[in-house]
Amino acid sequence: MCGIWGWWNRDGRPAPDDATIRSATEVMAVRGPDDFGTYRSESGLAMGFRRLSIIDLAGGHQPMGNASGTVWVTLNGEIYGFERLRERLIGLGHTFATRSDTEVIVAGYEQWGDDVVEHLCGMFAIAIWDERRRRLLLARDRLGIKPLYIFETPQTFGYASDPRALTPMPEARSEIDSEALALYLYYGYVPAPWSIHRGIRKLRPGERCVVEAGSTTTQRYWNLRFDPSHEPAAVHQKRFDQLFSDVVGEHLVSDVALGSFLSGGMDSTAVVQAASEASNDRLLTFNLAFADPEANESTWAKQAADVLQTDHHELAMPSDPADHIAETLSLFPEPFGDPAAVPNHALSRMIRSLCTVALSGDGGDEVFAGYSLRNVQAVGHLRSLPRGLRSLSASLPILGRFGELSLLDDTALYARGRARQSIEDVERLMHPDCQPRRAIEAHFALMRDELANARVPGSVNRALFLDQSFGVSDQMLPKVDVTSMAHSLEVRVPFLDHRVVEFAAQLPESMKQRGFGSKSTKKIIRRYLARRFPDSFIHRPKLGFSLPMRGDLMARIEAELISDTSQWRSQLPEAIRPDEAVNIARAGTMRPIAVWTLYALAQWNGQQPSSKGEALY
């Protein structure tokens, strides 16, 4: 895992010098503490790189060029199975000077041009500079595991793994984007392509961007297609078992110490099961024990570690993690309102003391339907009724909630489930000239268009498509990336390998979720675990991995929000109306997660270089 950076003065000015590159990329030093590299072109482009050494420790220096110095590459991430691709390229006449996965991209670009990204399996954000053509190619992996931010004017173009590496450049200094702020208040995160920094945007998952002196073109190179195959369950299970074993095996390739998260849940246990079976070494595993019994899965983690014979380590989460909260929320390049970031950050710190790479079960729920989608399923059945009957059902006590939800389309239903608060409350919280509804509806339209183009069959699959296309890359993956990179820890997520995602998209819904209870979820993963674990382990209720949104901690945070002397309320951006926040909270209609969302925003904004809390750069 690393940090990549680039700046192109397209108007003929010289490229930024090495001192400027070093200064701009300093914020990414934790992403790459082992090495620093630069390349400067006479065409006005500069590339910077901060390296965390994982593969070919001695030979993987970047930016990496070809023999003629006409192609230069920087890679943040890992290319899985790169050895096979390397052998294929050797057969096509290419030679290699290193064992690095980055050099495969160099040769692959020489062979296939922009289509090289379609030959790559992995998590990556890539920049390729073609000196002869004066042309820059950027690409982000299919699921958006690795971030990539972009800044552009007619005269300049910049990119970076962290937007704070762009804001030191004079042209990129910006203020908070009001549209992004509205989206944050609604979701608790800023979805792509928006960024909280005005003038900076995110490249979306599965996109590549071609930049030339007078133009910039962005296009998708991968689209997820759901086309369920109705073969016998045993056939699907056999294919999954083999594919998952192969994918996890590729994720184990590392020249440094490697371990795995093991919460005791289904997904992390499945990853550890596959890793243990693929490795001759005893795997290091780690879990976090919560004081709250409703969030604590440490007993199950220990059972999994015993069955799979891992070298297991446990960290106790403090019952009052106030110090961890402030530290965690200040790490993010944008405000981030998922409380699960706090325990993830604490556990990442512990893992890094023994490992540089860790596997994670993140993504299993979103790919194989790990959350009970009974709302989606019930609404799917009700939609078979005429709209008039659905409207009538909304007035029936037994069906009222589902009847109301059945009047929403799939996108609105999905957004309702992820929302921290209503659009109306977001409008109350922001100054009227910010027009927050327009931004939220623009994001709805983006999701609606992609869902329509994908033509996904089945209500459960449509919810999963939206999660995999939006929620995963916008919420879950930034949590993993930022909290692990704060400790120079590379986290790999086998469930989000695009081959696993594409396989899941071919499964019938019944192999993912069937019925309405929590035990009806992730059928194929439960059957995979059944080879090693008893029913009592496999069919227990699901627990989350997060801070509980109740108890003394949240009571203190909410009390300070409505206090006349609130310190954190004063740190909210100027676009927020703190008096309205107090009114909503005192009325008792603000959910605890919405209070947390405001608190996280205040904590983040208070760390920005501003005298008024406006976070101007």
Side-chain angles (χ1 to χ4, degrees):
M1 214 71 75
C2 308
I4 66 173
W5 180 93
W7 192 267
W8 186 7
N9 288 323
R10 297 189 286 184
D11 56 4
R13 288 176 293 155
D17 59 25
D18 284 359
T20 299
I21 301 171
R22 182 178 290 277
S23 176
T25 60
E26 185 62 32
V27 71
M28 300 191 298
V30 292
R31 287 184 168 273
D34 299 330
D35 194 13
F36 168 72
T38 66
Y39 170 75
R40 297 177 69 244
S41 167
E42 292 184 0
S43 299
L45 175 127
M47 303 175 86
F49 186 72
R50 297 278 183 164
R51 185 187 184 202
L52 176 63
S53 301
I54 304 292
I55 302 290
D56 191 2
L57 307 188
H61 179 78
Q62 298 184 44
M64 184 175 288
N66 62 356
S68 62
T70 56
V71 174
W72 291 88
V73 172
T74 53
L75 161 68
N76 171 27
E78 300 292 341
I79 307 303
Y80 304 124
F82 72 92
E83 303 93 337
R84 290 193 307 274
L85 194 55
R86 186 174 186 269
E87 290 304 312
R88 182 180 175 188
L89 287 162
I90 289 173
L92 292 170
H94 295 268
T95 59
F96 290 81
T98 75
R99 294 187 300 107
S100 170
D101 53 349
T102 306
E103 193 173 11
V104 168
I105 301 173
V106 176
Y109 178 77
E110 290 180 311
Q111 182 68 37
W112 298 301
D114 295 357
D115 291 339
V116 62
V117 295
E118 299 175 29
H119 293 264
L120 304 178
C121 294
M123 54 177 185
F124 54 80
I126 297 170
I128 303 175
W129 171 248
D130 189 323
E131 185 69 61
R132 285 177 179 155
R133 300 170 68 186
R134 297 183 70 246
R135 186 176 182 271
L136 178 67
L137 172 66
L138 303 174
R140 192 177 178 197
D141 66 72
R142 297 165 181 83
L143 275 297
I145 304 171
K146 293 292 99 188
L148 191 56
Y149 292 82
I150 288 171
F151 172 82
E152 181 177 20
T153 71
Q155 295 77 34
T156 60
F157 186 94
Y159 64 88
S161 300
D162 188 318
R164 294 169 297 186
L166 296 173
T167 54
M169 305 302 290
E171 297 91 337
R173 294 181 180 275
S174 64
E175 61 184 13
I176 284 180
D177 184 276
S178 61
E179 289 189 0
L181 183 59
L183 289 163
Y184 170 80
L185 292 172
Y186 185 70
Y187 289 115
Y189 55 85
V190 180
W194 286 267
S195 155
I196 199 67
H197 308 273
R198 183 175 296 169
I200 296 175
R201 66 182 175 93
K202 303 182 188 86
L203 197 65
R204 293 195 59 223
E207 286 186 344
R208 60 186 168 203
C209 178
V210 174
V211 187
E212 299 181 281
S215 66
T216 301
T217 304
T218 301
Q219 62 178 199
R220 296 193 65 80
Y221 67 87
W222 182 76
N223 291 286
L224 179 59
R225 299 297 182 196
F226 280 73
D227 186 16
S229 168
H230 296 284
E231 294 179 285
V235 173
H236 290 304
Q237 191 69 51
K238 183 177 180 180
R239 288 176 179 168
F240 171 77
D241 292 358
Q242 185 61 59
L243 172 64
F244 195 60
S245 176
D246 292 344
V247 166
V248 172
E250 290 183 1
H251 281 62
L252 292 173
V253 175
S254 172
D255 292 340
V256 295
L258 179 147
S260 183
F261 289 78
L262 180 58
S263 69
M266 298 292 109
D267 303 330
S268 63
T269 303
V271 169
V272 171
Q273 178 172 306
S276 298
E277 292 173 354
S279 175
N280 294 323
D281 300 322
R282 194 178 181 198
L283 187 67
L284 287 163
T285 55
F286 305 86
N287 89 289
L288 193 65
F290 290 88
D292 185 344
E294 294 187 16
N296 187 31
E297 290 188 296
S298 58
T299 299
W300 300 108
K302 291 173 184 175
Q303 181 180 340
D306 288 343
V307 170
L308 301 173
Q309 298 183 326
T310 71
D311 181 1
H312 191 61
H313 301 259
E314 181 175 289
L315 174 69
M317 189 71 190
S319 57
D320 186 2
D323 292 339
H324 291 280
I325 291 172
E327 180 185 3
T328 301
L329 297 178
S330 67
L331 297 173
F332 285 84
E334 302 182 82
F336 190 72
D338 185 348
V342 179
N344 215 76
H345 178 226
L347 189 53
S348 293
R349 189 199 308 271
M350 174 192 179
I351 295 174
R352 186 60 175 92
S353 67
L354 295 173
C355 300
T356 306
V357 178
L359 306 186
S360 168
D362 285 295
D365 287 325
E366 292 77 9
V367 173
F368 290 100
Y371 301 109
S372 177
L373 297 172
R374 56 183 177 272
N375 285 355
V376 171
Q377 291 171 298
V379 165
H381 291 305
L382 283 172
R383 281 183 181 153
S384 63
L385 300 175
R387 187 175 181 86
L389 287 178
R390 281 185 277 152
S391 298
L392 178 62
S393 70
S395 64
L396 300 176
I398 193 172
L399 291 177
R401 181 165 175 267
F402 294 124
E404 176 191 354
L405 294 176
S406 71
L407 299 173
L408 303 175
D409 66 17
D410 291 297
T411 297
L413 179 64
Y414 174 76
R416 174 83 68 90
R418 299 192 71 87
R420 301 304 179 87
Q421 52 202 328
S422 68
I423 298 178
E424 290 74 21
D425 279 351
V426 174
E427 288 181 308
R428 288 181 63 186
L429 286 170
M430 298 187 70
H431 288 290
D433 56 355
C434 293
Q435 297 183 297
R437 181 178 292 270
R438 184 173 62 181
I440 296 168
E441 290 181 347
H443 187 249
F444 283 11
L446 176 63
M447 293 192 291
R448 193 170 284 119
D449 288 348
E450 290 211 2
L451 182 59
N453 291 334
R455 299 180 180 178
V456 180
S459 57
V460 169
N461 277 336
R462 286 193 290 274
L464 293 176
F465 174 87
L466 290 169
D467 236 356
Q468 293 163 35
S469 300
F470 295 93
V472 164
S473 60
D474 291 332
Q475 179 184 24
M476 188 191 74
L477 288 169
K479 172 199 69 181
V480 175
D481 180 75
V482 173
T483 57
S484 60
M485 281 286 90
H487 303 292
S488 305
L489 174 70
E490 174 175 290
V491 175
R492 300 176 178 178
V493 283
F495 278 114
L496 294 177
D497 185 292
H498 80 276
R499 294 165 292 183
V500 174
V501 174
E502 288 177 341
F503 168 83
Q506 308 310 307
L507 289 176
E509 288 187 347
S510 61
M511 290 291 290
K512 302 170 189 174
Q513 185 161 151
R514 188 171 188 172
F516 292 96
S518 61
K519 297 179 182 179
S520 70
T521 63
K522 288 190 289 196
K523 292 290 188 180
I524 203 164
I525 296 177
R526 294 178 191 273
R527 290 170 182 165
Y528 174 74
L529 291 172
R531 294 192 287 112
R532 305 286 296 273
F533 291 90
D535 284 351
S536 59
F537 184 96
I538 296 169
H539 296 298
R540 56 194 162 87
K542 180 179 177 61
L543 298 181
F545 183 76
S546 185
L547 289 181
M549 288 289 97
R550 54 182 174 75
D552 292 344
L553 174 64
M554 283 306 301
R556 290 202 309 269
I557 290 174
E558 185 167 359
E560 189 168 350
L561 168 63
I562 63 178
S563 168
D564 292 335
T565 59
S566 172
Q567 181 177 358
W568 73 256
R569 196 174 70 225
S570 67
Q571 295 177 332
L572 290 167
E574 291 181 357
I576 303 293
R577 302 164 69 187
D579 55 326
E580 285 298 332
V582 172
N583 291 338
I584 297 171
R586 285 179 174 166
T589 58
M590 184 176 285
R591 298 161 58 200
I593 192 63
V595 175
W596 177 270
T597 299
L598 279 174
Y599 177 71
L601 173 63
Q603 293 294 316
W604 176 85
N605 195 55
Q607 296 295 318
Q608 307 309 309
S610 166
S611 60
K612 296 183 179 181
E614 181 64 11
L616 299 179
Y617 291 85

